Amino acid sequence: MKRNTRNNRPLIIITFVAIIYLLGLLILKYDLNNLPLAEFRVDYIGNILNILIALLIVVACIVLSTGKKNIDRRRANLILVFQIVSLLSLVFVFFVQKLNLINNSSYLFNFPAKKVYVGLSFIFSDLLQIFSMIYLYGIIIGDENYFELRALIRTIVAVVILLVFSLLFVWNVKVYDESKLIRTKYDYGLIPGAAVYSKGKPSPIFEARIRKALELYREGIIKNILLTGGKAPGEISESESAFNYLTNLGIPKKDIVVENRSSTTTEQIKYLRNEILSVKNNNTVLIISDGFHLSRIIQIAKFFKIKTIGVSSNYSMSFSKTLFYRARESVALLLFWFFAI
């Protein structure tokens, strides 16, 4: 009897920490995007994934503490350490974001260092959560041979399954075909920024987005064109490049809105919500982008409770490029689902 009581104590703590981690993660996701928790959606894919992992950990702890299967103290303490480290990673993210502990102007791997550290901390924390979940269920199943190695391999398999799910989600682009578009007028057509070549020329991918928006504008489907996207050092911004392109083709300046500070898709959607639309505005925004990009941007807009419809550009690419861009988008989508970054 003493043995069961002694071994159950770490499981109780693991359960408590897992719940605190879930609450902390959800609060961070909304707070760091300046959203009130009142806008939390249970039906959002990312929130479902967050809740599911925590719930499975809690259920595993209940099964181990009440069933015939037992967990030795060494393994229980290992998972407890993982849970605490995972929670501390969230604390690190909170202080980095709130206290600006990392210089915003510093870069790492050609990305803002602050975003890199925050992203890596988030990923590390959730990998520990997934490993803990699989480790606990391995004990329930009764694996003994190469137990830790089995848990590690299963964790890798779980991550691969998540990536495949995200890739399949991103690959479904037929829904963004122009033929699916409701023929009505939209106040805004948003063109997310993309690469700009020398002398301010839009890249082929970016140009295809602009030309599709131009086509929709001339058909009277969109009233105003919203251009977003900042700039790299020594170049004009993505939005300015698109602005020059459109005005040279005769689009009135009064029908174009330019945002030139954002560096990510999430920041562009934040701008749309905070500067263009009010919280109570129910107008639907048309987003013109590439098929591989629209799945993610529509999911981001859904997180911010913005009604959007996507229309893909006419840009075509080789299968190898298609695979590369969709794989990249699937990773980015997973990061947004789990951490809203």
Side-chain angles (χ1 to χ4, degrees), residues 128-294:
L128 289 179
Q129 291 291 308
I130 295 173
F131 180 84
S132 298
M133 175 190 70
I134 290 173
Y135 193 95
L136 290 169
Y137 281 95
I139 295 171
I140 293 173
I141 293 170
D143 289 335
E144 286 301 331
N145 295 330
Y146 307 106
F147 181 80
E148 279 72 21
L149 180 60
R150 284 172 181 258
L152 179 60
I153 292 173
R154 286 169 178 164
T155 300
I156 295 172
V157 171
V159 172
V160 170
I161 290 172
L162 286 170
L163 286 170
V164 170
F165 170 70
S166 179
L167 182 61
L168 292 174
F169 191 94
V170 167
W171 207 283
N172 182 24
V173 298
K174 290 183 180 179
V175 70
Y176 304 121
D177 189 87
E178 188 181 347
S179 62
K180 305 287 185 181
L181 191 62
I182 300 173
R183 291 291 164 173
T184 186
K185 284 195 173 184
Y186 299 86
D187 288 337
Y188 292 98
L190 167 65
I191 307 176
V196 174
Y197 288 170
S198 61
K199 298 182 181 180
K201 177 179 173 57
S203 62
I205 286 180
F206 196 17
E207 184 177 4
R209 298 180 188 180
I210 299 168
R211 296 200 71 86
K212 174 57 71 173
L214 176 64
E215 177 186 322
L216 295 171
Y217 174 85
R218 285 176 172 170
E219 290 176 4
I221 294 175
I222 54 177
K223 300 177 183 177
N224 302 282
I225 301 176
L226 174 57
L227 307 174
T228 61
K231 63 181 178 179
E235 299 177 358
I236 68 170
S237 69
E238 297 163 353
S239 55
E240 288 171 312
S241 172
F243 177 83
N244 294 337
Y245 190 101
L246 288 170
T247 52
N248 286 338
L249 291 174
I251 303 300
K253 294 180 181 180
K254 66 179 180 63
D255 293 339
I256 303 175
V257 180
V258 176
E259 180 282 317
N260 58 13
R261 289 188 174 184
S262 62
S263 60
T264 66
T265 301
T266 302
E267 290 175 356
Q268 291 164 4
I269 295 298
K270 280 184 185 179
Y271 172 83
L272 176 63
R273 173 191 166 99
N274 298 332
E275 303 297 331
I276 303 299
L277 307 174
S278 66
V279 177
K280 296 181 180 179
N281 191 323
N282 291 319
N283 289 344
T284 300
V285 176
L286 200 63
I287 299 181
I288 305 101
S289 190
D290 318 287
F292 64 81
H293 185 215
L294 281 169

